[in-house]
Amino acid sequence: MKRSIDAVLRRWQNAPRRKPLLIRGARQVGKSYSVSQFGQQEFTDMAIVNLEMEPRVAEIFKTLNPREILGKLGILTGQRVVSGKTLLFIDEIQAFPKAVSALRYFYEEMPELHVIAAGSLLELTLDSAGTSMPVGRVQYLYMKPMSFEEFLIAMGQETTVEVLAHQRELFGDPAVHDALLSWVKQYLLVGGMPEAVAEYRETRNYERCRLIQTSLLQTYRDDFNKYARLGRHENISKVFQSAVKQVGNKFKYTKVDPDVLSRNIKNALELLVLAGVYHKVIKSSADGLPLGANTNERFFKVLFLDVGLMQNLCGLAVDIIREKDLMTIYHGALMEQFVGQELIAEQDCFDRPALYYWAREAKNSSAEIDYVCQSDTDLVPIEVKAGKTGRLKSLHQYLQEKRQGWGIKISAAPLQYQKPVVSIPFYMVNHWQTLWEARENENGG
């Protein structure tokens, strides 16, 4: 399946000062598949080492000498590595943490060799093994689940993706608008985990997708037991299971388990955030750029890895979901998850994802903006509404307090510019910056 990471890998391949690439991301987001496809298409040969499936071969990384590693690899597997022609792919690197340390020596002693490593739950592994990341000698790439656009392409809707990018005038047709919202609803159920997307592409069967999601969630739980330091996996499992129910609200440690010390819940959540299973949405005063300099990290919300896994983990039965308006489930939390996931997907994959929200907590005048993003030098308030209508009291309060002329509403309503609001439909979240930049040239400007 076509992924946005494909073009990123090709740029890395041709970069003049290339470092070993360590692809980080939760299990089953498509790391191994994308790298394997890239290697087959762009290189003469590909040497693959899976450290989880081949523990005997993993032992070659007990040395940090790259040439010794490659020599032993050739003896054990018959795979010959030639700089410039071969892609060396070290998969499931978390299974042998010392291999992470070896990456820096490939950069220092064999910089001409193309080396990619991939792993999940790296932070749990390194924390348990007492190993640290090789700073400055490795380039990190953060891979996420398939975005809504990638989902559409996988479903054979390339034309739809082109229309979304270049023919906005077509969205005024109610039939086109409703058809695109129907695709959003399908994505909410299937999510962006490649295995579930592939199943849905072949069968259009939600129940079979749900079985795959359930299996993936159990794999994560098994990983916690396997990789977490003794005595910590229990708290990690508790956070994994229950934090998802706080999506859309200010996170409270006591809601995970009131009988566990908050600092223990905090530590477990931090590991899951580092591993990409959860994302924090940090409170910002939004008083200027950069957004990260105006934060209060004691206050935050969370997003889960994937919207499809989210609805599964929360126990939503497929037959009930079919009968309900998906846009209003969990009082809009599902759509806040979807929008946040899309905002993360369009961020630079070489940077750790970062999201912010704004809130004012005052008697009789509290307000909250779901997301505040940056577009060039603009701070852009984004409010998510579950249906086609909804009050925008908080957005108007933000605009008045910050003396801004425009804000964004994301909802089931069609695309519309009516100052001070750019109304963006759910299916166009990843185009929000382009739509924002066009605001003064549209009606109402």
Side-chain angles (χ1 to χ4, degrees), residues 212-318:
I212 290 172
Q213 293 166 347
T214 301
S215 177
L216 289 175
L217 291 170
Q218 187 55 50
T219 299
Y220 291 139
R221 295 186 185 97
D222 293 342
D223 278 347
F224 303 152
N225 293 334
K226 183 176 181 181
Y227 293 123
R229 187 179 294 175
L230 186 65
R232 301 181 71 171
H233 66 270
E234 184 178 350
N235 288 332
I236 293 173
S237 294
K238 286 180 179 179
V239 173
F240 175 79
Q241 185 70 35
S242 67
V244 67
K245 297 175 183 177
Q246 297 194 51
V247 169
N249 297 299
K250 185 169 69 176
F251 189 84
K252 295 182 178 179
Y253 298 115
T254 55
K255 285 190 175 182
V256 174
D257 190 333
D259 297 323
V260 177
L261 291 175
S262 291
R263 69 170 178 268
N264 292 339
I265 299 297
K266 178 181 179 181
N267 291 337
L269 176 62
E270 290 297 333
L271 285 172
L272 290 175
V273 168
L274 288 171
V277 177
Y278 277 95
H279 299 284
K280 280 187 175 182
V281 185
I282 306 294
K283 181 180 178 181
S284 173
S285 62
D287 287 330
L289 297 175
L291 274 166
N294 300 280
T295 59
N296 186 339
E297 298 201 10
R298 292 189 302 114
F299 301 99
F300 61 90
K301 300 187 290 184
V302 295
L303 295 175
F304 195 52
L305 166 68
D306 173 67
V307 69
L309 293 181
M310 174 187 173
Q311 53 84 10
N312 184 302
L313 191 57
C314 291
L316 294 175
V318 172

Side-chain angles (χ1 to χ4, degrees), residues 187-204:
Y187 179 76
L188 295 178
L189 286 165
V190 177
M193 304 304 285
E195 187 179 356
V197 174
E199 177 65 39
Y200 187 67
R201 180 177 62 182
E202 296 299 320
T203 66
R204 294 298 198 272

Side-chain angles (χ1 to χ4, degrees), residues 51 55 58-62 92-100 125:
L51 302 188
E59 295 293 317
I60 69 176
F61 289 96
K62 284 186 175 180
E92 302 293 357
I93 197 170
Q94 79 282 348
F96 199 84
K98 196 169 183 180
V100 176
T125 309

Side-chain angles (χ1 to χ4, degrees), residues 319-380:
D319 55 347
I320 295 176
I321 292 172
R322 283 173 171 166
E323 297 174 4
K324 282 181 171 280
D325 179 0
L326 288 178
M327 307 300 183
T328 59
I329 289 177
Y330 289 149
H331 306 287
L334 197 66
M335 298 318 299
E336 191 167 331
Q337 165 74 32
F338 168 76
V339 172
Q341 195 171 322
E342 286 290 284
L343 293 175
I344 287 173
E346 57 92 26
Q347 292 183 7
D348 189 337
C349 62
F350 290 113
D351 294 328
R352 183 179 292 279
L355 284 177
Y356 304 93
Y357 78 102
W358 174 85
R360 182 180 66 199
E361 298 180 11
K363 190 175 182 179
N364 300 324
S365 62
S366 61
E368 181 178 306
I369 298 297
D370 298 310
Y371 301 104
V372 180
C373 298
Q374 180 180 344
S375 178
D376 292 330
T377 59
D378 293 331
L379 291 182
V380 184

Side-chain angles (χ1 to χ4, degrees), residues 27-191:
R27 190 179 287 276
Q28 298 296 323
V29 295
K31 301 185 293 295
S32 301
Y33 176 84
S34 291
V35 176
S36 296
Q37 291 292 105
F38 167 65
Q40 293 169 17
Q41 294 168 5
E42 302 293 334
F43 291 84
T44 305
D45 293 301
M46 186 175 180
I48 303 177
V49 184
N50 187 310
L51 302 188
E52 189 171 64
M53 295 179 64
E54 304 171 275
R56 180 177 66 97
V57 177
E59 295 293 317
I60 69 176
F61 289 96
K62 284 186 175 180
T63 176
L64 299 178
N65 185 308
R67 287 175 174 80
E68 186 177 342
I69 289 171
L70 297 181
K72 291 181 178 180
L73 178 64
I75 294 171
L76 292 175
T77 69
Q79 298 184 96
R80 184 167 176 261
V81 177
V82 180
S83 295
K85 295 184 178 181
T86 307
L87 172 65
L88 174 60
F89 178 32
I90 307 168
D91 200 7
E92 302 293 357
I93 197 170
Q94 79 282 348
F96 199 84
K98 196 169 183 180
V100 176
S101 301
L103 294 177
R104 65 169 292 179
Y105 296 100
F106 277 102
Y107 171 73
E108 293 174 352
E109 299 182 25
M110 300 186 70
E112 71 281 4
L113 180 64
H114 292 81
V115 182
I116 296 180
S120 56
L121 296 177
L122 276 171
E123 282 69 22
L124 295 185
T125 309
L126 300 179
D127 175 69
S128 178
T131 305
S132 60
M133 289 287 189
V135 179
R137 299 294 185 269
V138 175
Q139 185 167 25
Y140 303 119
L141 186 153
Y142 297 90
M143 193 166 179
K144 304 114 180 179
M146 297 176 73
S147 67
F148 176 60
E149 183 173 287
E150 290 174 322
F151 171 78
L152 287 176
I153 293 172
M155 294 299 114
Q157 297 294 313
E158 292 91 346
T159 300
T160 300
V161 172
E162 287 294 317
V163 169
L164 286 171
H166 304 295
Q167 294 179 273
R168 297 204 306 266
E169 67 276 4
L170 298 180
F171 304 146
D173 186 324
V176 173
H177 177 71
D178 289 344
L180 288 165
L181 284 181
S182 175
W183 279 114
V184 173
K185 291 181 179 182
Q186 292 173 66
Y187 179 76
L188 295 178
L189 286 165
V190 177

